[in-house]
Amino acid sequence: MNYLVKARKVLLTTSVINLFAFQQNAIANEQEKEDSTEHFVVTGSRLESIHLEGASPVTIFDRERIDKSGANSVSELLQSSMLNTSGARMAGSGSTGGTQGQATVNLRGLGEQRSLVLVNGRRIANSAAIPDSQNINLIPLAAIERIEVLKDGASSVYGADAIGGVVNIILYKNRNDHQISLSLSRPKSSKGGINSVELSGGVSNNKGNMTYAISHVEEDALFYRDSAITQFGWSTLGSPGNYMAYASNENTGELYSVTMPDSRCPTEATNDGDFAQSLLINGICQYNFAYFSTSQPKSTFNSIVLDGSIELADKSELFAHLLISRNSTDGISAPTPQAGGIPYLPTMSADNPNNPTLGQTLLFDTDGDGLGDTEIAGPFDLDVYYRNAAIGPRMRSTVDKMFSGQFGWQYDTENNQGKVEISLFYDKNTTAENTIGLSRRDLLQTAINDGSFDVFGINGTTNSAIAKSFKFDTDFSAIFESYGLRGHYKFNWFDKKINDQDTIAGFEYIAYDYTSKFDDDLTGNQLDGRAGGGNAKGNREVFSVYAETNYPLNDDLAVNLALRFDHYSDVGSTLNPRLGLVYKLSKNWILRSSLSTGFRAPSLFELFSDKSQGFSSIVDELRCNEADTNADGIIDRQQPDFGFINEHPCQSIRIQTITEGN
């Protein structure tokens, strides 16, 4: 079955239709004042023009705007844009599977996997940790001349993934100056400071040019506890913890449950001791995991960018581009919660000698209204809510690297009526992650079952040495490579003036290889604290041909036509057209209209990954919408000030999900 074409048919229901979009053309107006004849290639088209307006709307972050923003990275700059505020990923502690130092874009809320990032108008290798997107944290801000954000689908021009839009990062070229920049950033809280030094510039003459940019940026860690807004984050998984006791109706088999705290839970929170940051709240032992966790990891970023060209005697030139960057992050998370296996929590049988319900009578909710109404004598089977604080906080270190290289040849025909370009390229992204302080679920469960680990301290002090023996460290690594050949021919089809090619035809051949792997074979049943990521290995080849042309119907109305064919070695082929119109109402106003189709090819991780375990929070909507615990005739959910007590039907529950490549 042609999976790629099938996916494309589904996406046609959301094909980009950008009709009657008015925009004040202040940029073009300034161009007229300057009487400039410089040619530009604006994102959304592969054609050069003296005009900046096209059939698709483009937002430009020029260097002046970038400098005034005060941003220290590409991700920080784009995060402030309204186009990229719907769940765009930022670097953050606690992210697993190598994603701690990753940042992506999510244009128009359609997802990071449907937003394409280009560098100098060409694809780069996807992130090794997020193989269906690009990691913009590896692109140095100091090397950027401008960023163009296309607010339109562009699969007909750039191929897969450009459904939500395109971010085209344009690096400096043809500079003839040298600049050094030093920056120190200190927040009012005196935490999370940033230091950077950047050196950039170049040399240029009539025979060629060379541009460079070197960056070094250091960012301090920031703890959640350093901010009044985020200093508290309460969890029922703590040390000491809680337990959920189960009872059943002998006649109907209906299952009842109630959650109870460890009897040792403090009534006042402290910063140290055996039960630091634990507190009895509303009858449940709560644990402030935010106290131990960094919201922003410590990071160190280094990069070098080189770009150059040399003219040959026959109206041609050789050009080359090189980008090498490295970003290391160190994050801290609260000690590992013992949750996430199958079953979700550790268990304790009713006949276990360390069972806290031996000889106890508990009050259960048997009518489903959220209030206890029936006393039942124990002991009971238990789910154990426990966090292995004895092994200390989790420490996660990641190193992300990027290598991007291109070498090519360009030739201008007589009177610059045509231009030929051919280039070879190789891109490689790698991620290496080391995590210290996970906890073996299988060893914990065995120790509970045989009575050697008294998790609730019923028959003595909980043995911290046994708890520390559950500690487990692990490594994760991933590589994403792409390499190939691309070329195009720009020419003047409609006999317009010299230096203004109106048509382009081109091709691309790209081979992809992807591998990701944990250094151990433990599953979610055996190891807690490691969700996400997974083992995968796959490759594909993509061959594409495309064409685009601009045809002026008159001085005020122009038509843009684009067509692209992509063939994937593993999932089939697709053909995507675009029709665009630009009408100049006046010097200051233009009318845009575009109609196009788009597609997204499944990522190599989606196709070839092993089973990966995850957990989602859900609410039982049927029970929640019937709950009226105060019997006032209004369901609890419609009363915004109603506090949902523990075991309330509107409380979220966790369900397990298993994802596998297909």
Side-chain angles (χ1 to χ4, degrees):
M1 182 182 292
N2 191 326
Y3 292 101
L4 187 143
V5 174
K6 185 177 181 180
R8 173 179 174 270
K9 291 179 179 178
V10 174
L11 290 170
L12 284 179
T13 60
T14 58
S15 296
V16 177
I17 305 176
N18 181 21
L19 298 176
F20 307 125
F22 290 90
Q23 177 173 335
Q24 188 170 9
N25 193 10
I27 296 177
N29 198 30
E30 291 297 319
Q31 290 290 113
E32 291 180 8
K33 292 180 180 179
E34 296 173 6
D35 192 26
S36 172
T37 58
E38 183 178 358
H39 284 59
F40 298 88
V41 178
V42 178
T43 304
S45 172
R46 294 183 181 272
L47 295 171
E48 297 180 0
S49 173
I50 61 173
H51 302 293
L52 290 178
E53 70 272 7
S56 298
V58 177
T59 297
I60 299 178
F61 295 81
D62 59 18
R63 191 66 224 187
E64 181 181 5
R65 183 174 177 181
I66 293 173
D67 291 337
K68 287 182 178 180
S69 71
N72 293 284
S73 65
V74 177
S75 59
E76 186 179 345
L77 174 69
L78 294 179
Q79 187 71 16
S80 63
S81 171
M82 292 174 56
L83 304 172
N84 183 43
T85 55
S86 301
R89 187 189 303 262
M90 295 285 286
S93 299
S95 301
T96 60
T99 61
Q100 177 173 263
Q102 306 277 316
T104 61
V105 295
N106 181 4
L107 297 178
R108 300 191 293 163
L110 294 180
E112 61 187 10
Q113 71 273 35
R114 299 178 187 88
S115 303
L116 181 62
V117 176
L118 307 173
V119 175
N120 289 340
R122 72 177 187 91
R123 288 174 176 267
I124 55 175
N126 285 10
S127 163
I130 313 172
D132 56 1
S133 189
Q134 296 86 32
N135 179 17
I136 59 176
N137 265 354
L138 288 174
I139 302 172
L141 194 65
I144 296 174
E145 178 183 347
R146 67 184 187 277
I147 298 176
E148 299 177 350
V149 182
L150 175 68
K151 301 169 286 186
D152 200 355
S155 290
S156 56
V157 178
Y158 300 113
D161 311 328
I163 297 171
V166 177
V167 173
N168 190 7
I169 299 173
I170 311 298
L171 305 182
Y172 277 119
K173 296 184 68 174
N174 300 324
R175 289 186 63 174
N176 202 15
D177 64 344
H178 304 279
Q179 177 177 310
I180 185 170
S181 173
L182 300 175
S183 175
L184 301 176
S185 175
R186 295 293 182 271
K188 287 184 178 180
S189 65
S190 74
K191 307 289 185 178
I194 302 174
N195 306 321
S196 68
V197 55
E198 299 167 341
L199 178 65
S200 62
V203 292
S204 178
N205 55 42
N206 58 1
K207 292 297 182 180
N209 66 84
M210 193 277 287
T211 304
Y212 66 91
I214 302 172
S215 301
H216 174 78
V217 183
E218 296 178 352
E219 190 166 0
D220 295 336
L222 181 65
F223 279 82
Y224 283 109
R225 64 176 182 245
D226 294 330
S227 170
I229 299 176
T230 60
Q231 62 180 318
F232 297 109
W234 298 105
S235 169
T236 56
L237 292 160
S239 176
N242 302 281
Y243 56 86
M244 180 177 286
Y246 292 95
S248 62
N249 188 311
E250 295 181 355
N251 298 322
T252 65
E254 186 176 1
L255 190 67
Y256 310 126
S257 65
V258 63
T259 301
M260 300 295 294
D262 189 312
S263 61
R264 300 168 296 175
C265 189
T267 55
E268 293 184 7
T270 61
N271 296 338
D272 49 26
D274 292 338
F275 306 124
Q277 292 299 311
S278 290
L279 183 64
L280 191 66
I281 303 175
N282 295 328
I284 299 296
C285 195
Q286 304 281 332
Y287 180 79
N288 183 18
F289 62 85
Y291 182 84
F292 303 94
S293 306
T294 53
S295 59
Q296 172 184 294
K298 178 182 179 182
S299 64
T300 303
F301 175 77
N302 294 288
S303 71
I304 181 170
V305 178
L306 298 174
D307 190 282
S309 65
I310 182 170
E311 294 187 9
L312 304 178
D314 56 351
K315 303 187 68 174
S316 64
E317 70 174 32
L318 298 176
F319 61 89
H321 168 80
L322 178 66
L323 189 162
I324 301 174
S325 61
R326 182 184 189 273
N327 187 38
S328 63
T329 61
D330 295 288
I332 303 174
S333 300
T336 298
Q338 301 283 183
I342 307 172
Y344 181 66
L345 296 170
T347 60
M348 180 180 288
S349 63
D351 59 358
N352 191 293
N354 299 317
N355 193 309
T357 64
L358 286 168
Q360 283 194 356
T361 298
L362 300 180
L363 193 63
F364 288 84
D365 172 23
T366 60
D367 57 11
D369 65 356
L371 301 175
D373 50 56
T374 303
E375 289 187 346
I376 302 177
F380 307 97
D381 290 333
L382 308 179
D383 279 346
V384 178
Y385 290 79
Y386 170 68
R387 186 182 298 263
N388 197 339
I391 61 178
R394 283 165 288 172
M395 314 290 289
R396 182 171 287 111
S397 299
T398 64
V399 176
D400 299 309
K401 297 179 182 179
M402 171 188 283
F403 177 93
S404 179
Q406 181 185 25
F407 178 78
W409 171 78
Q410 181 177 290
Y411 174 72
D412 290 337
T413 61
E414 189 69 27
N415 293 325
N416 292 330
Q417 292 283 8
K419 182 180 294 184
V420 179
E421 184 177 303
I422 297 177
S423 62
L424 295 165
F425 60 91
Y426 175 75
D427 297 288
K428 180 179 181 180
N429 279 350
T430 64
T431 292
E433 176 188 82
N434 172 252
T435 304
I436 299 174
L438 302 182
S439 188
R440 288 281 297 268
R441 163 71 69 85
D442 55 342
L443 299 182
L444 168 65
Q445 188 65 65
T446 299
I448 291 176
N449 293 344
D450 64 21
S452 62
F453 187 58
D454 190 355
V455 62
F456 296 109
I458 301 302
N459 296 302
T461 303
T462 302
N463 193 324
S464 62
I466 295 178
K468 291 178 181 178
S469 71
F470 308 149
K471 180 182 176 183
F472 188 83
D473 304 335
T474 185
D475 291 309
F476 171 80
S477 61
I479 301 174
F480 196 110
E481 294 178 283
S482 64
Y483 52 91
L485 174 71
R486 56 170 57 97
H488 64 250
Y489 176 51
K490 295 180 181 179
F491 56 98
N492 192 333
W493 196 4
F494 298 113
D495 194 29
K496 298 195 307 183
K497 58 186 178 182
I498 295 175
N499 293 331
D500 202 6
Q501 293 91 28
D502 55 35
T503 304
I504 185 173
F507 73 92
E508 286 183 332
Y509 167 78
I510 308 178
Y512 297 96
D513 287 296
Y514 172 68
T515 302
S516 65
K517 182 174 177 57
F518 285 105
D519 69 341
D520 59 79
D521 296 323
L522 298 182
T523 66
N525 292 334
Q526 300 169 291
L527 188 63
D528 287 329
R530 185 182 71 185
N535 300 334
K537 183 177 178 61
N539 58 75
R540 68 160 43 126
E541 296 178 318
V542 183
F543 179 75
S544 310
V545 291
Y546 59 87
E548 182 185 358
T549 187
N550 283 330
Y551 181 70
L553 298 176
N554 54 49
D555 291 341
D556 298 321
L557 180 63
V559 178
N560 175 266
L561 299 172
L563 185 67
R564 183 181 178 104
F565 171 82
D566 295 271
H567 174 72
Y568 285 71
S569 60
D570 50 359
V571 292
S573 305
T574 179
L575 183 69
N576 289 273
R578 183 183 72 176
L579 169 64
L581 297 173
V582 178
Y583 179 63
K584 295 182 180 180
L585 297 175
S586 67
K587 290 183 178 181
N588 295 324
W589 293 92
I590 60 173
L591 172 66
R592 308 177 192 273
S593 178
S594 66
L595 173 65
S596 63
T597 62
F599 74 99
R600 174 182 176 262
S603 72
L604 294 174
F605 182 83
E606 291 171 323
L607 291 176
F608 301 111
S609 64
D610 293 342
K611 288 184 178 180
S612 177
Q613 182 188 43
F615 293 88
S616 301
S617 295
I618 66 167
V619 173
D620 187 332
E621 297 291 342
L622 293 178
R623 292 185 64 217
C624 179
N625 288 331
E626 295 174 355
D628 180 16
T629 55
N630 58 1
D632 64 353
I634 302 175
I635 64 173
D636 297 341
R637 201 174 200 180
Q638 294 181 357
Q639 302 183 47
D641 297 329
F642 191 92
F644 292 144
I645 61 175
N646 201 51
E647 313 301 334
H648 191 280
C650 290
Q651 289 278 30
S652 63
I653 60 175
R654 299 279 281 179
I655 62 168
Q656 175 190 221
T657 60
I658 300 294
T659 304
E660 185 177 10
N662 179 10

